[in-house]
Amino acid sequence: MGAGVDPWSGFEGHERVIVARDEDTGIGMVIALHSTVLGPALGGTRMNAYAGASDPHAAAYADALHLSRAMTFKNSLAGLPHGGGKAVIVADPRERTTELLHAYGRLVSTLEGAYLTAGDVGISVADLDVISQTCPWTTGRSPEHGGLGDSAILTAVGVLAGLRASLEFALGRTGVDGTSVAIVGLGKVGGRIAEHLAAEGARVIGYDPDPQACERARDQAPGMTVAGSLAEVLDADVDVLSPNALGGLLTPELARTTSARVVCGAANNQLAEPSVAGLLAERGVTYAPDFMVNCGGVIQISAEHAGGTMETARAQAEAVALTTRQVLERAQSLGVTPVTAAEQQALERIREHRARTGQVV
Ligand code: NAI
């Protein structure tokens, strides 16, 4: 770790954090286990060099702590038998080698199943196949290697379920027919969301800086409008805004200006700052928390680990609609934001489980 790392900074109720270096390359690795109360910690591995940070190892450490805590909430709300964990390999994804991935797999194996690893930014399904050669606690593999494949399919299913439930809650609509939706990011998840919504009669406008992603989305969702800039899609007069690119899209300014009545998408960490949840609520915008609706992928990798099928996992991802209704109703009746209501619901499940099982951690 860099000299600037304070091991207690951000350590909010985490059970343990493993910090290691690959012997051959000196590349740093961090595994953060936030909670194993509900079961083995489950969460992806991010490969990132944190090149812009003054201390990349401190930045990686902070990221692992923050992301693993979020996984505890996501897994609990999704009803999974898993706590939250997350890992970071502090390297540019171009530095990946089979040896590095094997070394990482051996590190995860030292935890003997307390942490199940999977993919995240910079780690592909093919990488997970390689990691699984030295680590049986790897999930999110390709069908050729016994996995269930691309998790974006069920992530889109869960987001769509949450979007429909939010639309019904906010505007009393029981379908998306005639609803206008702005989609930011037309990648694996956003492209599928555009496809389903367009097929069901929604008016879709989307934006992605990658021309290939735009081309694919046009094929997937004939009739959708592809915007020429991010500003164009954010300024569009729509009922729903669906963030499916990177985090931080929901700034205080956007919260004050968006025409959308519902915000629901897959991107992690959509709120640029926590206060945005309150700003959206004050303007009557229904925000479906990202960690509540984007759990389809984690449902899929949990099913893969348990030997389940895509069919059962899909049904579980559809249940995001029920959770969304419960959380939005709770937020309304308690006068809190949906983010607070979702966190409360997630923590209640953990506390109940701990009380039932007498666990101390
Ligand atoms: P992806 O990488 O396939 O798609 C992301 C798209 O966003 C890319 O096409 C990229 O060009 C675009 N993009 C980048 N900057 C942009 C900008 N400024 N404006 C608009 N578009 C921009 O990723 P994927 O799998 O579709 O994931 C989308 C989001 O959902 C990510 O934030 C991811 O962390 C999150 N997520 C994905 C899950 C999954 O199973 N794939 C699970 C849970 C969350």
Side-chain angles (χ1 to χ4, degrees):
M1 279 207 288
V5 177
D6 168 4
W8 301 108
S9 166
F11 196 93
E12 293 172 72
H14 288 74
E15 289 177 16
R16 46 182 160 152
V17 183
I18 314 295
V19 177
R21 271 192 198 280
D22 173 44
E23 259 179 49
D24 295 331
T25 58
I27 286 173
M29 303 174 184
V30 184
I31 303 176
L33 272 69
H34 180 257
S35 171
T36 57
V37 173
L38 294 174
L42 173 64
T45 305
R46 182 164 288 195
M47 193 184 277
N48 190 339
Y50 297 87
S54 56
D55 183 340
H57 286 95
Y61 184 83
D63 219 14
L65 289 184
H66 176 70
L67 293 165
S68 63
R69 184 174 179 277
M71 289 308 299
T72 297
F73 287 102
K74 187 187 293 196
N75 293 342
S76 174
L77 265 185
L80 294 173
H82 291 293
K86 201 91 180 186
V88 177
I89 302 175
V90 195
D92 188 293
R94 285 170 298 193
E95 290 179 77
R96 70 156 67 70
T97 60
T98 299
E99 291 73 26
L100 177 66
L101 296 174
H102 280 171
Y104 171 66
R106 284 194 296 276
L107 180 68
V108 175
S109 291
T110 63
L111 293 167
E112 298 184 325
Y115 168 58
L116 303 180
T117 197
D120 191 58
V121 179
I123 291 286
S124 66
V125 170
D127 294 331
L128 293 165
D129 288 342
V130 176
I131 293 168
S132 72
Q133 290 163 355
T134 55
C135 178
W137 294 284
T138 307
T139 180
R141 296 156 299 156
S142 67
E144 296 74 36
H145 286 78
L148 292 177
D150 186 359
S151 62
I153 300 168
L154 289 195
T155 300
V157 167
V159 171
L160 284 161
L163 192 155
R164 288 193 190 95
S166 302
L167 198 60
E168 186 169 6
F169 178 86
L171 300 176
R173 293 190 195 163
T174 51
V176 299
D177 188 17
T179 297
S180 50
V181 185
I183 303 181
V184 177
L186 298 168
K188 295 187 291 293
V189 179
R192 283 193 171 84
I193 290 174
E195 177 182 353
H196 286 280
L197 291 175
E200 290 171 40
R203 280 178 290 121
V204 179
I205 178 168
Y207 170 70
D208 196 298
D210 177 355
Q212 284 182 339
C214 293
E215 211 43 55
R216 270 195 310 272
R218 270 201 196 93
D219 290 344
Q220 280 173 296
M224 79 172 280
T225 305
V226 175
S229 68
L230 180 60
E232 187 186 336
V233 80
L234 294 180
D235 287 347
D237 189 9
V238 290
D239 302 311
V240 181
L241 171 63
S242 185
N244 296 290
L246 307 174
L249 183 76
L250 304 175
T251 58
E253 194 200 342
L254 185 59
R256 287 191 199 98
T257 56
T258 183
S259 62
R261 297 292 89 205
V262 168
V263 177
C264 179
N268 281 310
N269 302 326
Q270 288 168 30
L271 302 179
E273 44 189 88
S275 64
V276 173
L279 295 175
L280 289 167
E282 277 166 25
R283 286 196 59 228
V285 181
T286 298
Y287 171 57
D290 42 26
F291 59 91
M292 173 176 76
V293 298
N294 71 8
C295 60
V298 90
I299 287 172
Q300 181 172 326
I301 58 178
S302 168
E304 175 182 321
H305 177 72
T309 63
M310 274 300 262
E311 287 64 42
T312 49
R314 179 179 287 271
Q316 240 179 316
E318 300 273 7
V320 167
L322 179 63
T323 312
T324 302
R325 270 195 295 279
Q326 286 171 343
V327 163
L328 294 179
E329 279 164 13
R330 178 186 192 126
Q332 190 176 50
S333 70
L334 297 181
V336 297
T337 68
V339 174
T340 300
E343 289 185 351
Q344 284 176 353
Q345 189 151 319
L347 285 173
E348 270 168 20
R349 181 168 171 241
I350 294 168
R351 286 199 196 101
E352 280 163 15
H353 187 86
R354 187 185 269 146
R356 221 176 27 250
T357 58
Q359 271 175 279
V360 285
V361 288

